[in-house]
Amino acid sequence: MKLKRDDVTQLGILAKLAIDENTINDIKSRLENVLELVNQLQTADTVNIDPMAHPQQGFQALREDQITEENDQKAFQKLSKDVQNGLYLVPKVIE
Amino acid sequence: MHDMSIASQIKALKTREFSSAELTQHYLDRIKRLNPILNALITVTEEKALDSAKKADRALNGDNNNELCGIPIVHKDIFCTQGVRTSCGSKMLNDFVPPYDATVVKNLAEAGTIMLGKANMDEFAMGSSNETSFYGSVKNPWDISRVPGGSSGGSAAAVAARMTPAATATDTGGSIRQPAALCGVTGLKPTYGLISRWGMIAFASSLDQGGPIARTAEDCAILLNAMASFDHRDSTSLRLPEKNYKDGINRPISGCKIGIPKEYFTGSLNPNVEATVFDMLKVLTDLGAKLVDISLPNTKLSVPSYYVIAPAEASANLARFDGIRYGHRCENPKSLEDLYCRSRAEGFGEEVQRRILIGTYCLSAGYHDAYYRKAQQVRNLIKQDFTKSFSKVDVIVSPTCPAPAFKFGEKSDDPVKMYLEDIYTIATNLAGLPGMSIPCGFVDQNPVGFQLIGDYLQETRILNIAHCIQRETDWHKLSPEEPS
Amino acid sequence: MRWDTVIGLEIHVQLSTVTKIFSGASTLFGAKPNSQACAVDLAMPGTLPVLNSKAVDHAIMLGLAIDAEIPSISVFERKNYFYPDLPKGYQTTQLERPVIGKGKIPIVLEDGTIKEIRIHHAHLEEDAGKSLHTGDFDSELSGIDLNRAGIPLIEIVTEPDLSSATEAVIFAKKLHSLVTSLGICDGRMAEGSLRFDVNVSVRPNGTNELGTRTETKNLNSFKFMEEAILLEVGRQIDILENGGSVIQETRLYNGETKTGYSMRSKEEANDYRYFPCPDLLPVAITASHLKKIRQTLPELPDERSTRLVADYGIGKSEANLLAVTKELSEYFETVAITSKNANQAANWTLGELMSRLNAANLPIIESPVSAEELGILIRRICDDTISGKIAKQVLDAIWKGEGTTDVIIKERDLKQLTDTKALNKIVTSVISDNPKMVSDFINADPQRRKKKLGGLMGQIMKRSKGQADPKRANDLLSHKLHQIINGEGN
């Protein structure tokens, strides 16, 4: 499985990972190695086989519509590097 | 003290042979001496430990029914601990101090265990050698030039070096069993859903499962009793009747049918490892168990299937680390895009980034069906293999890893080589089955692990067989010479 | 060239649960920023979602109300994209297997015909937080409030069955009425409880092939929706008539400046990489659960309208208007029962009362005039105690809290003058004081006399301070005038 340099750049954009131009080729060749490994999947005969998303066969257990969480804003916002008046701050979001 | 099993320490605490404070201090002293060499712990919580030990002693003097009361433990740094930094082995969470406990941590605290510290691990549990930790790799106590395995390398090494009698760990593709094997200790990955995942930082949600690492199968059973619980905060946690996993571990195993999958004894398996495994099979037949040849034909596809599913889930699970609400945030972001891309590129190590990219690729438009969907179909085939086999046998056994611990750097250049380290352990995660690794001998002074795989919720069965083996063998009692 | 408009809607309905869809945090509107964002909503490491059963029940109620397919299994998926108001970096939503399948909602068009709008599907998902662009922080920054993150939404997707802005608004109002009647949404548009995305395209009149569509997102009032559609239809026709082509894009509409604009930034690289959420197993809806919910289903607007016609004998169009909300129809029913005159009850509720409520921007449940009081007021009209005109004055007084109907009538001496002797006296004096008007009446063409009578009636009402029973006064006046014409004495 061969990738293009642009593929790696595009993956970086989707995954929001800054990729250094100088390392693209390294990343590319290692990704290609891994994809070569996973491509062994194509040898499997999976006609009429359902995809299995989860090891459990059952259904979801739901919860009651009751408030269980208290306001822990202070504790949570101590973890952030940029908070003001209760808001998390980020560089301007352009709509 | 540190050569005793938990079961013996429990007795000693009850009879006041020593106090929890003494036991805790003893382990803290060992940690102080050994951790600088082995790097098994990222954080040592000495004060907290001594505090809780005093409390445990008071409880032990009163009416205490908690079996584990006063027993020290180490938590893998993937479990959130309230007020104690939880790094997940990553720069991303280097200063993350959660305001909440993981359910596993809470359960074990309520059982009276004493937290000694947080164990080193591969970053976000992605690795099989502990070389991806931001805090440097853990050294294998049997040979400090070798890896301890991963991702729960710190947990396994700490137990092997007698820095703690027990440790929590997690297993997504072998992360409990493989380091347990490489460090010569006993580790159990229970059935998916037996142990709550709340507060356990997610790598691949449909594969992750917490479990204990200790010296013996019996100790693992005792720990499992405290760790397993239905948790209303984890909708995949199983609601089961109360159960004592120690019950029945002494049952004779004569007549027990042991499946030997032929696909696990071919290819890259080290012949000396194979020989030690065969020695174990002899122990089993001596105990009256019957060996049955079975086939798990899709095992060879478990690694490719896993390296689609796990990175795919991880790519989404790790998207929350964006530098905004917690975790590493880059300096002076020029734009929102810059904040995201630099915070994540700086906060995550190379292997984590690689897996995020692979997962992103496998889910992206045009590749979703060829990779993600196909991998899920193969996952079903792998599960069907197990279902067929468990209609014929009670447990399946195999080597835990194809070879003993390797040297640092030996595989870190080639991710694929590293991924194949988990070739025998991954299939059980894909199917959600319980698996164990117990020590079964040495190859060139390096420990070898013996894997037992059970059917769904058959923890008792594999613990029973493991315990019977450990009554007949001494491998689990051997400890490495103290490195200096 | 003439153009046809094709409109499909995607409606985000905030469900009125007490807690969020995947966490036990409160959904109360208007709390301080981030005070209702718990560990799950903030996507703290190691946290897990647990689905709120009420959200599923609400979805089922909607499904039953729109006669939809309700599959026994539905699946939550992760929709992956980065945005500061999306803490997990993915939205937990449904794609391949939504909770509600195909359904339909009939609407009554302006000409009274009924049109069935097909529903493609409806799915459950979590709302995102809010990005604030102005506030008490550096103008180079945005502030993120995650209180809204995790509020349960049902997204209802229609087929492109609507053919004008007017139809779209009728549909939107019908849906609003439906979800509020079901009690699954509070319907507060200003708080964003219902938000509309409109997909608009145009095609030459009579052709079948769909044109390229645009999606205008996040319209939170009927008025803005209508304006945005009209604007977008006009824009697309302009482009096409000038030989251009419409670009498929996401747009926004600014209701203040009345302008629409493209939202290109959100368009780049939207590869959402959906996959089933591994933290959430499939959701099962059993037949017995469905039956249980069906039994608790409240009366729906269409059923209510039919019942109002049958039970009270009012007109279909009045019934449709009254049936829009449970509260309004309940109000009407109390008025009708108290007044014993359903038609008057409908007229007064929809007319005098609603116009006062609308002017004061009050919902029916906050009406200062109780349904019982309006009923008594109508009864006083029907039993000739007061005239309709006086009744409006009394209604104003009740509205201001100045007393009850009977107290106000008594204290202000508003009782209608019905006594023949007293009325006679007024009529006689008006006739003698207005000889010009009387002679105008007498000399008028018999067909035009009725109009001339009005002036004299006005004088009578003025002299009686509006209290003269208009019917009796009218009878007396014309009787007297005809006596004059016929020379029957003075």
Side-chain angles (χ1 to χ4, degrees):
Chain A
M1 190 68 204
K2 289 289 167 201
L3 294 173
K4 295 191 287 286
R5 278 176 67 95
D6 280 358
D7 293 336
V8 178
T9 309
Q10 178 60 21
L11 287 176
I13 291 169
L14 277 176
K16 298 281 184 261
L17 289 168
I19 294 178
D20 183 346
E21 278 292 310
N22 301 319
T23 62
I24 289 190
N25 283 338
D26 272 358
I27 295 171
K28 187 170 92 71
S29 75
R30 288 189 178 187
L31 290 181
E32 283 168 350
N33 288 347
V34 178
L35 291 174
E36 197 178 291
L37 170 78
V38 304
N39 257 324
Q40 293 171 22
L41 287 173
Q42 309 313 330
T43 63
D45 177 7
T46 52
V47 177
N48 296 327
I49 301 294
D50 285 334
M52 174 178 159
H54 206 273
Q56 290 179 347
Q57 304 291 303
F59 296 105
Q60 207 179 135
L62 312 186
R63 65 180 178 84
E64 294 294 309
D65 185 24
Q66 275 162 5
I67 294 177
T68 54
E69 304 304 308
E70 286 163 15
N71 178 5
D72 279 334
Q73 183 174 5
K74 260 192 196 147
F76 291 133
Q77 294 202 325
K78 255 196 282 181
L79 299 166
S80 175
K81 304 235 163 56
D82 212 347
V83 166
Q84 200 176 307
N85 296 327
L87 294 168
Y88 292 101
L89 296 184
V90 297
K92 193 111 199 143
V93 178
I94 306 150
E95 290 231 320
Chain B
M1 278 187 246
H2 59 266
D3 272 323
M4 297 165 81
S5 68
I6 295 172
S8 326
Q9 288 176 347
I10 288 169
K11 277 189 205 122
L13 285 171
K14 297 269 190 262
T15 57
R16 314 286 188 279
E17 197 180 306
F18 46 75
S19 68
S20 172
E22 286 166 320
L23 185 64
T24 302
Q25 189 60 60
H26 180 75
Y27 280 114
L28 287 169
D29 290 345
R30 290 184 64 77
I31 289 169
K32 236 171 248 166
R33 194 166 69 248
L34 297 170
N35 201 46
I37 303 161
L38 299 175
N39 197 27
L41 304 186
I42 295 173
T43 306
V44 181
T45 51
E46 179 167 0
E47 244 175 78
K48 253 182 198 289
L50 292 170
D51 252 20
S52 357
K54 272 183 216 141
K55 274 187 207 131
D57 281 328
R58 278 199 294 276
L60 283 162
N61 285 325
D63 287 332
N64 188 287
N65 302 322
N66 275 327
E67 197 174 18
L68 280 168
C69 185
I71 300 293
I73 197 163
V74 158
H75 291 302
K76 184 175 181 180
D77 213 17
I78 200 168
F79 290 104
C80 288
T81 42
Q82 186 172 356
V84 175
R85 190 256 307 266
T86 301
S87 72
C88 221
S90 181
K91 179 183 176 186
M92 181 60 86
L93 293 177
N94 187 36
D95 51 10
F96 177 65
V97 180
Y100 49 92
D101 271 333
T103 301
V104 162
V105 170
K106 186 173 140 275
N107 285 351
L108 284 165
E110 281 169 4
T113 62
I114 314 299
M115 176 171 78
L116 298 171
K118 306 291 297 286
N120 202 347
M121 56 183 284
D122 277 299
E123 185 181 6
F124 283 99
M126 297 177 186
S128 305
S129 66
N130 235 284
E131 290 167 291
T132 72
S133 171
F134 173 65
Y135 300 92
S137 48
V138 178
K139 311 288 183 289
N140 191 318
W142 293 90
D143 176 353
I144 58 168
S145 70
R146 290 176 192 272
V147 304
S151 67
S152 310
S155 301
V159 173
R162 278 48 173 169
M163 292 156 70
T164 177
T168 55
T170 61
D171 192 315
T172 305
S175 282
I176 289 176
R177 292 159 289 159
Q178 185 255 14
L182 268 43
C183 290
V185 293
T186 301
L188 168 67
K189 179 206 102 71
T191 303
Y192 183 95
L194 198 60
I195 289 177
S196 167
R197 292 182 296 117
W198 173 267
M200 189 177 108
I201 299 174
F203 161 15
S205 312
S206 79
L207 300 159
D208 295 342
Q209 183 60 201
I213 292 180
R215 304 263 299 283
T216 69
E218 186 184 15
D219 287 358
C220 283
I222 295 169
L223 291 161
L224 185 60
N225 281 338
M227 291 170 81
S229 69
F230 167 73
D231 186 0
H232 62 86
R233 287 183 179 275
D234 174 1
S235 75
T236 62
S237 126
L238 297 167
R239 197 190 282 269
L240 298 167
E242 190 110 352
K243 188 169 179 181
N244 187 339
Y245 290 94
K246 243 172 41 172
D247 288 349
I249 58 167
N250 280 308
R251 233 168 49 190
I253 59 163
S254 67
C256 187
K257 285 177 279 181
I258 311 282
I260 316 290
K262 63 175 186 206
E263 292 82 2
Y264 284 56
F265 291 86
T266 52
S268 58
L269 178 60
N270 175 314
N272 296 322
V273 169
E274 186 172 24
T276 65
V277 171
F278 282 143
D279 289 346
M280 273 310 222
L281 296 180
K282 177 78 173 40
V283 174
L284 284 169
T285 49
D286 287 350
L287 286 165
K290 279 194 286 202
L291 304 185
V292 181
D293 285 329
I294 58 162
S295 172
L296 298 168
N298 291 294
T299 289
K300 59 179 187 301
L301 294 176
S302 61
V303 174
S305 170
Y306 176 90
Y307 277 96
V308 172
I309 293 168
E313 292 184 11
S315 71
N317 281 335
L318 271 62
R320 64 188 59 198
F321 301 100
D322 57 11
I324 297 175
R325 298 166 313 286
Y326 49 79
H328 178 76
R329 183 185 181 109
C330 68
E331 294 288 332
N332 306 316
K334 289 191 283 291
S335 65
L336 183 62
E337 191 71 7
D338 189 39
L339 169 70
Y340 282 141
C341 293
R342 267 202 298 134
S343 298
R344 290 166 59 78
E346 292 168 8
F348 292 139
E350 190 190 325
E351 179 62 23
V352 171
Q353 293 194 44
R354 176 156 48 240
R355 295 207 196 181
I356 291 173
L357 293 173
I358 290 166
T360 303
Y361 181 82
C362 293
L363 287 172
S364 62
Y367 302 101
H368 186 282
D369 283 2
Y371 289 104
Y372 182 73
R373 193 182 148 85
K374 187 82 178 175
Q376 300 281 35
Q377 288 174 310
V378 168
R379 183 180 195 176
N380 200 351
L381 290 175
I382 290 165
K383 190 202 116 201
Q384 287 175 15
D385 282 357
F386 279 115
T387 309
K388 275 179 218 149
S389 297
F390 281 116
S391 67
K392 290 182 231 147
V393 301
D394 299 307
V395 297
I396 294 168
V397 300
S398 77
T400 308
C401 317
F406 48 92
K407 298 243 178 189
F408 286 104
E410 210 174 289
K411 298 187 180 182
S412 48
D413 262 0
D414 183 353
V416 171
K417 237 193 224 169
M418 187 73 85
Y419 296 171
L420 292 170
E421 185 64 18
D422 294 330
I423 190 159
Y424 301 139
T425 48
I426 273 175
T428 49
N429 296 81
L430 289 168
L433 298 171
M436 263 190 100
S437 179
I438 60 172
C440 76
F442 289 84
V443 169
D444 304 330
Q445 284 94 50
N446 295 304
V448 173
F450 182 73
Q451 181 175 227
L452 302 104
I453 301 167
D455 202 353
Y456 288 98
L457 296 172
Q458 293 301 306
E459 280 75 12
T460 309
R461 201 81 183 111
I462 53 175
L463 283 165
N464 168 219
I465 293 166
H467 181 65
C468 289
I469 291 172
Q470 290 186 336
R471 279 193 314 199
E472 301 298 317
T473 60
D474 284 334
W475 303 117
H476 61 287
K477 291 183 186 156
L478 301 176
S479 53
E481 270 175 46
E482 279 186 26
S484 51
Chain C
M1 195 191 290
R2 287 181 57 214
W3 299 87
D4 288 345
T5 303
V6 179
I7 302 166
L9 298 180
E10 290 166 26
I11 308 101
H12 288 91
V13 178
Q14 270 189 5
L15 299 177
S16 51
T17 52
V18 176
T19 61
K20 299 198 175 169
I21 185 167
F22 296 121
S23 83
S26 169
T27 54
L28 216 60
F29 182 81
K32 281 196 187 133
N34 292 307
S35 65
Q36 289 181 172
C38 73
V40 174
D41 308 327
L42 294 169
M44 299 302 285
T47 59
L48 296 167
V50 185
L51 179 59
N52 186 339
S53 57
K54 194 65 155 283
V56 177
D57 288 351
H58 281 181
I60 295 171
M61 288 170 82
L62 175 76
L64 292 171
I66 63 170
D67 198 17
E69 294 166 15
I70 302 176
S72 58
I73 293 173
S74 70
V75 173
F76 281 94
E77 306 207 27
R78 293 180 178 179
K79 178 185 183 182
N80 296 286
Y81 65 95
F82 283 85
Y83 212 67
D85 63 15
L86 190 73
K88 294 195 294 293
Y90 57 83
Q91 182 193 31
T92 308
T93 178
Q94 301 187 305
L95 180 73
E96 299 280 334
R97 306 184 75 173
V99 64
I100 301 299
K102 291 185 194 316
K104 52 183 185 289
I105 299 179
I107 57 172
V108 183
L109 302 183
E110 281 174 314
D111 64 2
T113 56
I114 291 173
K115 180 172 180 180
E116 212 158 67
I117 308 303
R118 291 169 301 155
I119 303 302
H120 181 271
H121 78 272
H123 64 258
L124 280 166
E125 63 184 24
E126 58 187 344
D127 209 342
K130 270 185 187 159
S131 308
L132 308 170
H133 306 299
T134 52
D136 193 11
F137 46 79
D138 193 321
S139 64
E140 295 297 298
L141 302 173
S142 291
I144 310 297
D145 174 8
L146 296 170
N147 282 349
R148 204 178 65 181
I151 288 189
L153 296 177
I154 283 188
E155 182 176 339
I156 301 163
V157 181
T158 76
E159 296 287 356
D161 286 353
L162 297 156
S163 30
S164 70
T166 312
E167 277 186 22
V169 171
I170 292 172
F171 176 84
K173 286 185 173 167
K174 177 70 183 285
L175 188 71
H176 183 274
S177 162
L178 194 64
V179 295
T180 51
S181 294
L182 284 167
I184 64 174
C185 174
D186 64 22
R188 293 184 194 136
M189 310 270 293
E191 293 174 10
S193 294
L194 245 81
R195 311 195 290 270
F196 298 89
D197 298 346
V198 294
N199 290 297
V200 175
S201 65
V202 297
R203 61 185 172 197
N205 178 242
T207 58
N208 281 325
E209 203 178 323
L210 288 170
T212 305
R213 68 188 162 89
T214 62
E215 182 180 21
T216 304
K217 276 190 171 303
N218 254 327
L219 300 160
N220 64 356
S221 82
F222 300 129
K223 184 166 155 262
F224 289 167
M225 187 172 105
E226 185 167 24
E227 290 170 1
I229 293 172
L230 290 172
L231 186 74
E232 180 57 16
V233 167
R235 190 187 71 93
Q236 290 188 11
I237 292 174
D238 270 359
I239 291 173
L240 295 171
E241 289 190 340
N242 287 307
S245 49
V246 174
I247 304 163
Q248 183 165 348
E249 61 182 355
T250 305
R251 301 178 62 83
L252 286 175
Y253 175 74
N254 184 330
E256 276 166 40
T257 58
K258 311 285 177 213
T259 48
Y261 52 96
S262 175
M263 206 175 151
R264 290 205 179 82
S265 63
K266 254 204 169 169
E267 289 296 291
E268 55 151 343
N270 55 351
D271 183 348
Y272 292 127
R273 293 159 282 137
Y274 283 93
F275 71 101
C277 178
D279 287 326
L280 297 164
L281 293 170
V283 181
I285 297 174
T286 61
S288 64
H289 190 62
L290 219 54
K291 197 175 155 198
K292 203 176 106 194
I293 300 284
R294 194 188 292 276
Q295 280 161 356
T296 62
L297 219 55
E299 188 180 40
L300 298 175
D302 286 351
E303 297 165 7
R304 200 151 50 217
S305 168
T306 308
R307 183 174 60 79
L308 292 182
V309 172
D311 289 2
Y312 297 93
I314 59 173
K316 184 69 193 164
S317 57
E318 285 83 8
N320 281 343
L321 292 170
L322 289 166
V324 162
T325 68
K326 184 170 152 238
E327 290 76 18
L328 181 59
S329 64
E330 278 175 355
Y331 187 98
F332 157 74
E333 289 186 70
T334 307
V335 178
I337 291 162
T338 317
S339 68
K340 301 193 177 78
N341 186 328
N343 281 316
Q344 286 278 32
N347 291 341
W348 278 81
T349 305
L350 291 170
E352 293 300 324
L353 185 76
M354 285 307 283
S355 64
R356 282 169 177 76
L357 289 172
N358 289 342
N361 200 15
L362 286 174
I364 185 78
I365 46 165
E366 285 170 38
S367 168
V369 180
S370 73
E372 287 80 4
E373 209 49 53
L374 183 57
I376 292 169
L377 182 67
I378 293 168
R379 204 151 75 199
R380 294 293 166 259
I381 303 168
C382 297
D383 66 12
D384 289 340
T385 308
I386 51 172
S387 66
K389 198 171 166 204
I390 293 287
K392 289 175 194 172
Q393 289 174 32
V394 178
L395 184 61
D396 282 333
I398 304 171
W399 179 278
K400 288 182 205 142
E402 293 168 2
T404 62
T405 307
D406 289 337
V407 169
I408 292 166
I409 292 172
K410 191 160 177 236
E411 278 181 356
R412 304 187 187 183
D413 198 16
L414 298 173
K415 200 167 178 311
Q416 216 162 218
L417 213 51
T418 51
D419 176 57
T420 314
K421 223 166 139 190
L423 279 174
N424 241 330
K425 216 172 136 190
I426 295 172
V427 170
T428 310
S429 66
V430 165
I431 286 175
S432 57
D433 292 352
N434 294 284
K436 173 85 174 54
M437 286 169 95
V438 172
S439 63
D440 278 359
F441 176 85
I442 292 167
N443 297 330
D445 197 277
Q447 273 90 41
R448 301 197 54 199
R449 278 184 182 155
K450 205 174 175 188
K451 202 181 157 202
K452 301 281 172 193
L453 201 64
L456 289 162
M457 268 308 288
Q459 291 300 313
I460 293 168
M461 293 314 280
K462 199 173 164 189
R463 202 158 289 192
S464 70
K465 299 194 188 83
Q467 280 167 262
D469 179 334
K471 195 172 170 299
R472 287 187 198 197
N474 196 316
D475 287 351
L476 279 173
L477 177 64
S478 41
H479 181 71
K480 280 217 183 290
L481 289 171
H482 282 98
Q483 278 181 336
I484 295 170
I485 293 166
N486 299 337
E488 289 170 19
N490 209 344

